[in-house]
Amino acid sequence: MTLQDLESQLLALTPAEKEHIIQLLTQSLVSTQPEIAKPLEISSGEAYIANTQIAIWELVNAQDLGCSDTDLLQMYPQLTQSDLDTAWEYLDTHPDEIRLALQAIDE
C-alpha cells in the first residue's frame, strides 16, 4: 500500500473512525517515548512519568494551582526538567485525557 492509497482511505472514513485512528496513532507515538508510561497496574492506564508513580494530571493540576517548574522540581526531587518538559508535551498532545482526569478528581 502506498502513502497515497492510505491517504485516500483515511479521507473516506467517518469522523468517528478518524478520531479512533488519531487516538491509535497518538498512542503509538507516546509508546515510543520512554519518559511516559501507562502502567495498568498503577491506575487504569493513566499517563505517568516513567519509573515513578507521578501522574501527568498531578503535575498539570499543580501547575494550574500556580506551581512553577522550579516549585515542582522541589516538590518532586526525583523529577528532572526533562521530565516536566515531557509532561507538558504530553498535555499538549492529550489535553482531553488530562482534563478528564482533572475533572474526575474535582467530582
Side-chain angles (χ1 to χ4, degrees):
M1 175 181 295
T2 68
L3 186 56
Q4 190 173 23
D5 294 335
L6 181 58
E7 184 178 322
S8 65
Q9 289 181 358
L10 288 171
L11 293 173
L13 296 174
T14 67
E17 291 169 329
K18 288 176 184 175
E19 182 178 353
H20 183 71
I21 294 297
I22 289 169
Q23 290 173 350
L24 288 174
L25 290 171
T26 302
Q27 289 301 320
S28 73
L29 289 172
V30 169
S31 67
T32 63
Q33 294 179 332
E35 301 90 3
I36 298 292
K38 287 191 148 191
L40 293 173
E41 67 278 5
I42 293 177
S43 177
S44 61
E46 291 178 350
Y48 284 75
I49 299 296
N51 300 315
T52 76
Q53 292 186 2
I54 302 169
I56 302 298
W57 67 262
E58 289 180 70
L59 298 172
V60 172
N61 187 52
Q63 186 183 54
D64 288 349
L65 294 172
C67 291
S68 67
D69 282 10
T70 302
D71 296 331
L72 290 169
L73 292 172
Q74 290 174 351
M75 292 167 56
Y76 300 99
Q78 68 272 42
L79 296 182
T80 65
Q81 184 60 53
S82 177
D83 293 327
L84 293 179
D85 293 343
T86 299
W88 309 146
E89 288 173 25
Y90 190 87
L91 171 62
D92 288 342
T93 58
H94 300 82
D96 294 338
E97 174 187 329
I98 300 303
R99 293 299 163 199
L100 283 173
L102 290 171
Q103 285 175 354
I105 64 166
D106 286 339
E107 294 175 351

